[in-house]
Amino acid sequence: MDFPPSLPPPIPASKPARSSAWIWFAAGGAGLVVVIVALAAMGYFFMQATQRRVRATEAQAELEKVASKERANLRQTIENGNGAESIERVRSQLEKSAQKAGAGPDAPTYRSLSAALQKLGGRTHEYETAAQAFKEAELFQFKLASRKDIETKRKIVRDFLAANERLTDMIVHLDDTLRAELDANHVPEPVKSATVKGFSSTRRKTYDIQLHIRDTDARFGATALEALDLLDKNWGAWERDDSSGQLRFKNEALIAPFNALVHKVQDISAEQTKAQEELLAHSKEETNAAPPPAAGS
């Protein structure tokens, strides 16, 4: 998906605008969390004694099949902005594993992981809905028919920033969320500690990159609000050329601050794209390093 469309070039057009999937790439930060959670779900089982690992082998293989598929399709998930759907597929597999375990000791752990994923999926869906509204608003095209349109677009930006903040909070406190679910399902302390340890160590591999992407989203939103404020305070001192997409300012003193905002968006775009590619590279490494499915699974 080409998102957003090319930004209006600065005025004067001293630097060509760059086009890249800056907001939509952010959804991939949530998408990769899904894969990490799926792998972390198996972390507990890998830490157990040989006798327990044999009993869990089939469940491990089934989860790994789902996780491998999600990793392979991660770029498409990012571009389509359907990370919540990816999360639901992994969560569904965890539920199936819990049902298969029946009254066995592994079932509560699977249910806990599924519940934690459900909460992550809810936040991801909220974020993706807000990101879609941001995209459709074409904020950096500055198509403002009246001054009232500015406040409408401000609300879209604020909703996006709020959704991004809630998703960031969920990612930061995901270990605590899992621990609370393990407590709710009365998972014994040794198993709970091992599960959280395996979960945490796995997802921390890309934790800093994910938070970096969330931070770039926050800066995108803040820059959008700055641009809208500039145009609002100077309403009537600028006009949009629909044929070129350029803004033309009657007051030349406004050209430099407007150019600075356009350049800031371009720089954040490049920064976020680089971070997203790092996540994709990590996903590829995880796919190559993934254990083969168990025999007979």
Side-chain angles (χ1 to χ4, degrees):
M1 179 179 295
D2 183 18
F3 178 59
S6 298
L7 295 168
I11 301 174
S14 58
K15 180 179 179 181
R18 293 198 299 268
S19 175
S20 65
W22 52 277
I23 285 291
W24 216 247
F25 259 70
L32 190 61
V33 172
V34 176
V35 176
I36 292 170
V37 169
L39 296 176
M42 295 181 283
Y44 150 64
F45 296 106
F46 283 117
M47 296 177 68
Q48 303 308 299
T50 302
Q51 180 180 352
R52 189 171 184 81
R53 289 178 63 187
V54 170
R55 190 168 63 240
T57 298
E58 184 177 355
Q60 289 175 348
E62 289 174 349
L63 278 171
E64 176 53 34
K65 285 180 181 178
V66 175
S68 293
K69 186 174 181 179
E70 297 307 320
R71 282 194 297 264
N73 295 331
L74 183 57
R75 185 178 291 275
Q76 182 179 354
T77 296
I78 291 168
E79 293 175 351
N80 292 340
N82 57 1
E85 294 177 13
S86 182
I87 289 174
E88 177 56 27
R89 287 190 289 269
V90 177
R91 192 204 65 78
S92 178
Q93 181 57 54
L94 283 165
E95 281 295 321
K96 292 177 183 177
S97 296
Q99 292 174 7
K100 183 174 293 187
D106 297 336
T109 303
Y110 280 123
R111 292 194 192 97
S112 300
L113 288 158
S114 173
L117 262 187
Q118 187 172 36
K119 291 181 177 180
L120 175 62
R123 290 294 185 223
T124 303
H125 177 69
E126 290 177 4
Y127 167 85
E128 290 175 345
T129 299
Q132 179 66 21
F134 196 121
K135 169 183 177 290
E136 291 175 355
E138 297 183 317
L139 284 156
F140 290 99
Q141 295 301 303
F142 306 116
K143 297 177 180 178
L144 302 167
S146 71
R147 200 166 187 175
K148 290 182 180 180
D149 290 343
I150 293 179
E151 188 55 38
T152 299
K153 291 184 185 295
R154 278 198 185 105
K155 183 180 185 305
I156 293 171
V157 177
R158 290 175 186 139
D159 289 346
F160 172 74
L161 286 170
N164 182 62
E165 185 176 356
R166 287 191 293 269
L167 178 57
T168 301
D169 184 72
M170 173 61 69
I171 293 172
V172 170
H173 297 103
L174 204 51
D175 291 0
D176 295 334
T177 299
L178 174 58
R179 190 177 289 106
E181 295 298 340
L182 291 164
D183 285 338
N185 282 286
H186 308 291
V187 175
E189 183 58 40
V191 177
K192 179 174 67 176
S193 296
T195 302
V196 174
K197 182 177 180 180
F199 177 88
S200 180
S201 63
T202 303
R203 82 183 191 94
R204 291 282 164 178
K205 294 176 182 178
T206 58
Y207 180 79
D208 289 342
I209 304 176
Q210 291 180 43
L211 290 189
H212 184 191
I213 292 175
R214 303 269 67 79
D215 176 65
T216 55
D217 263 8
R219 284 185 278 144
F220 273 129
T223 305
L225 290 177
E226 284 185 67
L228 291 171
D229 287 345
L230 177 68
L231 298 181
D232 189 17
K233 291 176 182 178
N234 296 281
W235 189 262
W238 58 272
E239 60 183 12
R240 185 178 188 276
D241 184 336
D242 291 336
S243 62
S244 66
Q246 284 191 335
L247 299 189
R248 304 188 183 282
F249 291 93
K250 299 175 183 178
N251 181 354
E252 292 188 1
L254 298 176
I255 294 176
F258 175 77
N259 283 351
L261 291 173
V262 172
H263 292 151
K264 184 186 292 188
V265 170
Q266 293 171 337
D267 290 342
I268 297 173
S269 173
E271 184 180 337
Q272 190 178 87
T273 299
K274 180 180 178 181
Q276 187 58 62
E277 290 298 333
E278 290 176 8
L279 280 178
L280 290 167
H282 176 80
S283 177
K284 185 176 181 179
E285 290 175 3
E286 290 290 339
T287 300
N288 294 336
S297 62

